[in-house]
Every structure is written in structure tokens, then in C-alpha cells.
Amino acid sequence: MPGLDDATRGRLLFGGDYNPEQWPEETWHEDVRLMKAARVNSVTLGVFSWSKLEPEPGAREFGWLDTLMDLLHEHGIGVVLATPTSSPPPWMGRLHPDTLPVTEDGRTEWWGGRQHFSHSSATYRRYAAAITEDLAARYAGHPALTMWHINNEYCTADHGDEAAAAFRRWLRARYGTLDALNTAWGTAFWSQGYDTWDGILPPRLPHYMRNPTQVLDFRRFTSDMLLECYAAERDIVRRHTPHLPVTSNFMPLFLGQDAWRWAEEEDVVSVDLYPDPRDPLGAQHGALVQDMTRSQARGPWMLMEQAAGPVNWRGVNHPKPRGLNRLWSLQAVARGADAVCFFQWRQSRQGAEKFHSGMVSHAGEEGRTFQEVKQLGADLERIAPETAGRHVTAGVAVLHDWHSWWAGTQDGRLSGEVDYPDVLRAWHRALWQAHLTSDFAHPEHDLTPYPVVVAPQLYALTDAAIGNLLAYVRQGGTLVCGFQTGVADQDDRVRPGGMDARLRELFGIRTLHEWWPLDAGESVACEGFGATLWSEEIEAGEADEVIPYRGGELDGLPAILRRGRAWYVSTLPEPGALRDLLAGIAAGAGVGPVLDGLPGQVEAVRRGELLFLLHHGREPVTVEVPGTHHDLLTGTDVTDRVTLGRYGAAVLRP
Ligand code: GAL
């Protein structure tokens, strides 16, 4: 199978979404001039071009795209060509209302925005396949073409009638018989037993809480249907260009797609990443998404979109202060990206995103944004030869599973304060702040390469996953699990005893009496630290070590238990405590920080032979780096220490 290296060929890709159909042809020439000046070597064309390519049903207008493909090729700029299928032309909805998705309360999502397509619509799929076929046939041999980009941020759900029929088919394939479905869904509760497949619907708006397993299966179904749409287009382009890689861009930590499953179907894993420049933890959010994407890719990955300045979809949208765009771009490279791309090349003057930044902002060539983009292009070119294709090594794996997330976010749970992504972020942040590089893994993956595995919140676990965790510890791994691990099975059925018996034994828990969720802002004292969000009334069994709750109802009962190399943390320790706990456990398992003695705001990552140092603060800091190193960014040697200025970075080769 082709991979990202077939497109990079030893370079780091640099560029972004290019939407020239919004501009007159003179601007295209200006664009390529500026692209060359910024050392842009890759652009993504055609993401939202469907109505331009097919202005009426069956018509084909490829001339403008031919001109652009040729123009870009003449200037040595490669093209990631997108199938335009995420935003069907208005005629499609008008002539074929069956292509429009329906919300849970029966409202149609109309054209006039984007992503108004039903994954289950046979009509939509037929048109999508046809335009993909013609696009692929036309450009298969074009020398500018380097990669395919299918659709864009697949994310729609559909509760309409055609989707209902598809849901039933999907359920039949999963369960075989109605009995099996009734059992899995627990339909004995609230008189929900189904006597015919035709009675089953997507989870449309009910009077009161929904059946949680129906909702869980609907999420699985939705992810699978979108994946089917992706795979259908992928197979078409593959037939024309078996030598070129195919991707579809993920949204970071997005609820709607099982990205582990999706990544297996992609040649290149790509993601869109937009941390808030004002968020003090924006850099950590970036690191988390980058670590997750790298893990899905099992190697180098593509940053498909980021913003050179502000986005325009938050309540208040802040620009990036000077230097931050470069720093966060280098962070992505440090954490394994072989492509640093933006949405979008030139900031629009019209449409819903006219206040969203571009690499060329409204201020134009002289604007600070473009000037910084130019500097970034030069930096990336400088470090590329020793960076591209190299791997990042991690001693810790963070477990994450969409199905567990889906099961854990249902109505009717004990605390609406517990937010899965927040818990995941808290644990990843603890590792990040301890300068421990982490990968992400699925609970059924081979975990043996990692001395330490942490599971922030795997509420639902399959038997296979539980078996995998037990085997991992048996084989010498150190496992740290957060609260509510292994409560439910794959059908969101609570396991006897409130936590799987094998796991209780693993952690040295005799009885889990009650869960004690905490209110927003409430904290609970534990021996030596405070904790928030959640607590549990546990009676220890054969634990080797117990750190107790102090005071209150749970006084003296275990907050943290350890049995052998298995730890259970029944609450969310405050950030510093979680950092110290995980750093201590990792040290015990022989896993240390990337570099000792790092200042707080400096992030360090090793990629291949290189040590990336990234300074997230504005005041200069000095970092001790024993020995002599060559800084690829400045081209100079540094000995024993390096000083980093505001948002500064160094890329050191020993
Ligand atoms: C992404 C999308 C782009 C653009 C961008 C704005 O979600 O793929 O087309 O809308 O957001 O931040």
C-alpha cells in the first residue's frame, strides 16, 4: 500500500486547502508566486468544488481545474485532490430530497451550509461515486497529483427513513436474530421488546430517556455508514491510482467516528487541529491530538488543517500572537507530523468563513500572518531532511476507545460532570507535564511494547479487552486505571459487582459498595493530595498498597489501590498530584522524562535522532542539554545549554 512517504519523498509537506474557485484567474497567478515565496509544496484542491465541477446533474466542468493542476505543477507544487462530496450542490437537495439528512426530531438539514448529505442515501452515493469516478479518471495521470483526500471531516448523522432501513440492516448483521437484539438492548426494561425488525428506529426524539444500547449501536452504525461512504470513494480512486495514498481528515477527539477503525482503512492518517491560542492548555491539547493521530497512523501523519491566525467559530476568536503559529507547527512535527497544512491558503472575502484566517490574510503579502508563514516554510525546509519519516518513541500508552466513550456518555448516568474527553485530557496532561512521551492505544491492541499503560476511563470493556489488560500485567506491564474502569460490557450492561470481577481481583478490590460522584467545584481529600469529580466506596481485598481518602464519608477507605503492578485510582487527583503519581509509577517501571531538569514551560520530544525543544512561554528560558548539539533551525552548535526566547524552539541533533 502507498503511504505518506510516497507524497513527501523526504520532504515535509507544507501548504493548505486552496479554494481558487472563490477568486478570479489573476489571483491564481499571484497565489503561486506567494506559494513559491513561502516554499509551499502541497495544496489541497477541490474540497468544496462540487457545484463548480457539476453545475447541473451529470454536467462536468473540469476546464478550470485542468488550468490549476497545470499551473501548480509548473511551479512544482503537488496537489492533494479532494473528492467534493461533503457539500452537494443545491440542485441535489432540490431534485432529490432523499439525499438530505434528518435530525432526531424530524427536521431536515437543508442546503445552504455544508455537509447536508445522508450517508444512507442511495441517490447521494450514486452521485458521489459518479463525480469521484470522473475526477479520478481525469487526473489519474496528472503529474501534480500526489494524494487523494476523500470528502471532508465526515460527521453527519441521519435519523430519516432511508437511514432507519440501513440501521435495521446493520443490526441484523450484528445480531442475527431479534432475540439477540432484545437481549443486547435490555428491552425487557420499559416494555421495549421488539417483535419485528420493522419496529426498530434510529433513536428519534422520545418522551423520556432513550434506550442506551440503541443509542450506542446508532453511534456505531453512524460511524460505519460514514466509513462505507469513504471506502466507496477510496476504492474508486485506488482503482485509477493504486500508487497514490488516500486519506480523509479527522476532527480531533471527535465523538462521531471510531477513528481506530477508520485509520485501518486509510493510507495516510490526517487530522484538523485548532487549539485556542488563549487557552493556557492549548499546547497540551495539541500534543494530545498529535499523539493520538500518530498512534492511529502508527508512524508519520499529516496535519491537514490548522489556522494561521484566528478561527471564526468560537464565541470569541483570538489571533495567534507572534511566533505561536511557528511553535505549534513545530510541535506537530516534533510529535510525528510529516505534513504541516492549513485551512486555508487565502482568507476568503465572502461566505461563512471570511473572518477565519488564511495563510495569506486580508492584510496580504505584507501582513504579519504571511510573513510568519514564510518563515515557517523556510524552517520546515531546513529541518525536513533529518525529520521526515522518523519515528517518535514513547514509553507510555494511554488507552482510548470510542465505544467506551459512547457507552459512558449516555443519559441516566450518575454524574453529568464527568466528561470523557476532559478526563482523558487530565491524564494526558499529567504525562505531558511530567515530560513523558505517550502514545495512544486501543484496549485490545498489543500493549507489550509499553512498560506503562494508563487507562483514564474505560467504563465499558469487552471480554477481549479485559483479557488483554490482564495478560499485559501478567507479562510484566504496569497498568494504571482511572475511576469506573470496566463497569460495563460491550452492550453497556453493568458487570456483576459493578466492576468486572477479574479486574477487581487484579487491583485488590474486594467490594465496590457505591460510587460517590462529586459536585462541580467539590473536592475530596486523600492522603497527601486533593481530588475532584468522582470518588468510590471500596473495600480493599488483597491490595499491596492503599492510599486512603481522608475525612468525610469515605474516611480511611482506599482512594488508590495497588496490587503488584496494577493500580486503580478511584478519583481524579488534582493535576499536580496526578502528574507526580504517574511520574513516580513510570519511574518505577524504568520510564523517565525526555530530558531531566526541563523548565516548566518547555516541552521536549525526541523524534528519530533529534531532540525538539519547544518553549510555550514568552520570557526567555535556558535549557540544560549536556554535550554539544547542532541546532537545525539556526544552523549553529550549542554546548550544554540553549536559550529559547518567546515561543522559541530548537531542533537539536547530537
Ligand atoms: C474545518 C473544515 C474546514 C474549515 C475549518 C475552519 O473543520 O474542514 O473546511 O471549515 O474547519 O476552521
Side-chain angles (χ1 to χ4, degrees):
M1 281 295 166
L4 184 51
D5 51 343
D6 290 291
T8 57
R9 288 178 276 108
R11 303 162 306 164
L12 295 171
L13 296 187
F14 179 55
D17 279 21
Y18 181 32
N19 297 303
E21 62 267 47
Q22 297 174 16
W23 301 91
E25 205 167 324
E26 311 87 81
T27 312
W28 303 353
H29 295 277
E30 176 68 1
D31 285 333
V32 285
R33 180 180 72 76
L34 294 179
M35 285 176 191
K36 290 310 289 176
R39 297 171 157 83
V40 164
N41 55 25
S42 175
V43 296
T44 302
L45 275 179
V47 177
F48 296 112
S49 301
W50 203 344
S51 70
K52 185 90 179 161
L53 293 169
E54 187 172 1
E56 55 189 71
R60 294 290 182 261
E61 294 286 345
F62 285 128
W64 65 276
L65 189 52
D66 293 348
T67 307
L68 278 152
M69 294 287 287
D70 293 347
L71 180 68
L72 289 160
H73 180 62
E74 271 163 37
H75 289 83
I77 299 164
V79 173
V80 178
L81 192 54
T83 63
T85 52
S86 73
S87 193
W91 57 254
M92 194 180 304
R94 181 171 55 83
L95 299 176
H96 307 286
D98 53 304
T99 61
L100 300 170
V102 175
T103 60
E104 56 162 19
D105 55 351
R107 285 174 297 133
T108 298
E109 293 184 345
W110 300 97
W111 60 92
R114 66 178 190 191
Q115 281 145 337
H116 47 283
F117 66 89
S118 162
H119 50 59
S120 295
S121 161
T123 311
Y124 164 76
R125 287 191 182 201
R126 197 170 57 244
Y127 276 113
I131 190 72
T132 300
E133 180 71 44
D134 291 354
L135 203 60
R138 187 164 189 101
Y139 298 107
H142 199 288
L145 181 65
T146 60
M147 197 191 301
W148 288 101
H149 175 305
I150 304 295
N151 201 282
N152 189 65
E153 293 188 339
Y154 276 105
C155 61
T156 48
D158 184 16
H159 297 71
D161 291 341
E162 200 168 355
F167 187 38
R168 286 177 208 121
R169 278 196 299 277
W170 184 93
L171 290 166
R172 271 178 189 262
R174 182 175 174 88
Y175 294 111
T177 66
L178 265 184
D179 273 356
L181 177 136
N182 279 314
T183 304
W185 285 18
T187 55
F189 187 80
W190 281 354
S191 172
Q192 293 174 348
Y194 291 96
D195 66 334
T196 163
W197 292 98
D198 292 340
I200 300 172
L201 291 173
R204 292 180 179 165
L205 190 69
H207 173 71
Y208 192 45
M209 289 191 277
R210 295 168 167 87
N211 180 310
T213 313
Q214 178 190 10
V215 175
L216 174 61
D217 274 345
F218 186 69
R219 289 194 189 280
R220 291 175 170 140
F221 156 77
T222 300
S223 177
D224 284 0
M225 292 304 278
L226 294 171
L227 185 58
E228 261 185 35
C229 291
Y230 160 79
E233 294 183 27
R234 177 205 58 196
D235 292 349
I236 292 169
V237 301
R238 258 193 197 157
R239 207 168 5 85
H240 290 275
T241 54
H243 59 291
L244 292 182
V246 187
T247 189
S248 181
N249 48 342
F250 291 149
M251 283 185 270
L253 204 52
F254 168 61
L255 186 68
Q257 270 172 316
D258 175 358
W260 287 123
R261 171 91 193 76
W262 275 69
E264 290 167 13
E265 302 288 335
E266 297 189 307
D267 302 322
V268 170
V269 178
S270 62
V271 76
D272 302 344
L273 175 58
Y274 295 96
D276 186 346
R278 278 281 175 100
D279 178 357
L281 291 171
Q284 184 244 322
H285 174 66
L288 182 156
V289 171
Q290 293 156 10
D291 290 345
M292 188 177 286
T293 310
R294 179 184 69 248
S295 307
Q296 285 155 354
R298 297 176 185 267
W301 53 280
M302 179 166 192
L303 178 56
M304 184 65 86
E305 294 181 19
Q306 59 171 339
V311 298
N312 73 329
W313 39 260
R314 293 197 167 94
V316 178
N317 299 283
H318 300 284
K320 283 183 168 163
R322 181 172 45 80
L324 192 62
N325 188 32
R326 172 176 180 264
L327 179 68
W328 283 1
S329 298
L330 289 171
Q331 183 195 34
V333 176
R335 293 187 177 272
D338 269 4
V340 174
C341 301
F342 292 82
F343 176 85
Q344 57 176 330
W345 163 250
R346 185 182 280 280
Q347 183 169 14
S348 300
R349 288 183 55 212
Q350 289 186 294
E353 293 183 325
K354 57 186 174 296
F355 293 116
H356 189 293
S357 57
M359 298 166 81
V360 182
S361 72
H362 290 156
E365 184 173 358
E366 299 303 320
R368 174 171 68 83
T369 304
F370 183 69
Q371 291 304 314
E372 289 192 35
V373 160
K374 252 169 59 175
Q375 189 201 344
L376 175 60
D379 285 335
L380 294 178
E381 207 171 81
R382 219 169 282 132
I383 67 173
E386 295 181 58
T387 310
R390 310 306 199 277
H391 283 252
V392 175
T393 41
V396 182
V398 181
L399 300 187
H400 162 61
D401 174 28
W402 266 269
H403 299 250
S404 185
W405 180 9
W406 292 333
T409 51
Q410 308 275 18
D411 289 345
R413 65 214 156 102
L414 291 183
S415 170
E417 289 301 312
V418 176
D419 177 62
Y420 179 95
D422 278 355
V423 176
L424 200 65
R425 265 192 282 272
W427 281 65
H428 180 272
R429 186 204 320 169
L431 296 166
W432 186 72
Q433 288 177 335
H435 305 292
L436 295 165
T437 308
S438 56
D439 282 346
F440 280 79
H442 183 277
E444 291 178 29
H445 284 168
D446 174 16
L447 303 173
T448 53
Y450 302 100
V452 179
V453 167
V454 305
Q457 224 212 342
L458 290 178
Y459 156 85
L461 283 171
T462 61
D463 285 337
I466 292 171
N468 194 40
L469 297 183
L470 298 178
Y472 168 73
V473 176
R474 229 179 9 248
Q475 288 162 27
T478 295
L479 176 68
V480 193
C481 291
F483 62 84
Q484 280 214 310
T485 294
V487 169
D489 66 11
Q490 70 287 339
D491 300 328
D492 195 17
R493 181 188 292 105
V494 175
R495 298 218 178 235
M499 176 195 275
D500 183 83
R502 292 159 292 180
L503 291 175
R504 273 184 277 135
E505 194 191 335
L506 180 73
F507 300 129
I509 295 173
R510 184 195 308 282
T511 311
L512 204 166
H513 292 283
E514 286 288 359
W515 292 298
W516 289 78
L518 304 182
D519 283 327
E522 189 182 354
S523 63
V524 62
C526 306
E527 178 97 6
F529 63 93
T532 57
L533 209 56
W534 192 265
S535 55
E536 295 180 0
E537 185 179 343
I538 289 174
E539 193 180 319
E542 313 211 336
D544 296 320
E545 190 180 339
V546 162
I547 302 174
Y549 288 106
R550 284 292 174 223
E553 195 67 33
L554 304 180
D555 187 36
L557 294 179
I560 298 178
L561 302 97
R562 178 183 66 80
R563 185 172 183 200
R565 288 177 306 275
W567 297 74
Y568 184 68
V569 184
S570 71
T571 181
L572 183 66
E574 61 200 12
L578 188 56
R579 179 199 59 211
D580 293 348
L581 176 74
L582 296 183
I585 293 173
V591 179
V594 177
L595 196 66
D596 284 321
L598 279 167
Q601 285 182 302
V602 176
E603 172 180 347
V605 191
R606 288 187 195 278
R607 184 171 180 192
E609 264 205 310
L610 303 176
L611 173 65
F612 282 73
L613 296 173
L614 306 154
H615 176 33
H616 296 289
R618 292 168 183 244
E619 300 309 320
V621 288
T622 299
V623 185
E624 307 291 330
V625 275
T628 296
H629 315 258
H630 185 69
D631 184 352
L632 300 184
L633 286 172
T634 58
T636 58
D637 286 348
V638 297
T639 302
D640 292 339
R641 59 189 57 84
V642 54
T643 298
L644 302 173
R646 170 196 165 108
Y647 299 136
V651 181
L652 305 181
R653 182 219 303 138

